[in-house]
Amino acid sequence: MILPIYLYGSSCLREKTQTVAPDYPDLKQLIANMYDTMYNADGVGLAAPQIGRSIRLFVVDADPVKNRDSRATGFRQTFINPQILERSGEMCSASEGCLSIPDIHEEVVRNDVITVKYFDENFNEHLDTFAGIVARIVQHEYDHIEQILFPDHFSQLKKKLVRRKLDKIRTGKIQPEYRSRID
């Protein structure tokens, strides 16, 4: 089922997230719905706060950007209760966008390598190191469960330059082509 994606200005994007228990109601269906919602919006990642759930869960499918980084080929993963344990490698700048912040793409500086501990959809624990665009996508989605939106990484000047667009999203004047809402 395709769920509405909450847009910039929605309070759920800034709410503290809770740990997901193995007996979380209908978790597998929620994860399937998140993938459906992400694919419908042509995204490569989607965090639970973006669909109005204040829980520590996000999904990633980096395959659509494999032309930018071969490490993205076939990468599809569910992250439950993730913890970034280490950020390393070079600090790299790249353009990012966000399904909750349509029509804005800006450069964000992030570490090129991260190590993450997380559970998959079957509650199997993993400890993995990701690099390149996969690390960037995981960090972007991880930010969502930490109540951080990608404009929070902008310089003060960039924040001023995009303020009008953000206000238009917050007030419903910019609407994406996918199902969305503002609370």
Side-chain angles (χ1 to χ4, degrees):
M1 174 170 57
I2 296 169
L3 305 169
I5 295 173
Y6 284 77
L7 300 181
Y8 181 82
S10 296
S11 61
C12 59
L13 297 175
R14 299 290 191 176
E15 289 176 7
K16 183 170 175 43
T17 55
Q18 303 300 312
T19 300
V20 179
D23 62 348
Y24 188 88
D26 301 316
L27 181 60
K28 289 204 186 261
Q29 185 61 54
L30 174 63
I31 292 168
N33 291 345
M34 288 178 68
Y35 277 108
D36 289 346
T37 301
M38 177 184 70
Y39 293 137
N40 180 69
D42 294 325
V44 294
L46 184 70
Q50 293 179 275
I51 57 160
R53 301 281 183 106
S54 296
I55 57 173
R56 300 185 66 78
L57 164 67
F58 60 84
V59 298
V60 171
D61 188 340
D63 197 63
V65 293
K66 64 186 173 197
N67 62 329
R68 292 173 48 194
D69 185 337
S70 62
R71 292 171 282 205
T73 303
F75 184 85
R76 182 180 191 267
Q77 187 61 55
T78 300
F79 292 80
I80 300 172
N81 301 328
Q83 295 175 287
I84 294 180
L85 301 178
E86 183 178 2
R87 297 174 196 256
S88 59
E90 294 182 32
M91 297 299 288
C92 299
S93 180
S95 180
E96 291 186 20
C98 181
L99 297 176
S100 291
I101 307 173
D103 295 341
I104 295 179
H105 291 83
E106 291 292 336
E107 295 287 314
V108 175
V109 177
R110 295 192 188 271
N111 289 85
D112 190 45
V113 179
I114 59 170
T115 300
V116 183
K117 184 170 95 172
Y118 64 97
F119 294 92
D120 63 22
E121 63 277 1
N122 297 311
F123 265 86
N124 296 313
E125 188 172 24
H126 297 264
L127 179 63
D128 291 322
T129 298
F130 303 111
I133 199 157
V134 172
R136 176 167 295 279
I137 295 167
V138 170
Q139 287 175 89
H140 179 107
E141 299 309 323
Y142 185 83
D143 277 356
H144 277 293
I145 64 171
E146 294 290 322
Q147 304 85 52
I148 299 168
L149 301 176
F150 90 110
D152 297 342
H153 292 282
F154 297 176
S155 68
Q156 288 302 319
L157 176 61
K158 279 209 174 152
K159 285 179 183 176
K160 285 181 182 178
L161 292 172
V162 299
R163 184 174 294 142
R164 282 193 182 117
K165 270 192 174 178
L166 290 172
D167 286 343
K168 286 182 179 180
I169 295 167
R170 187 179 44 77
T171 59
K173 293 177 183 160
I174 292 179
Q175 286 291 316
E177 295 182 16
Y178 45 86
R179 189 172 174 211
S180 63
R181 67 181 293 177
I182 300 173
D183 68 4

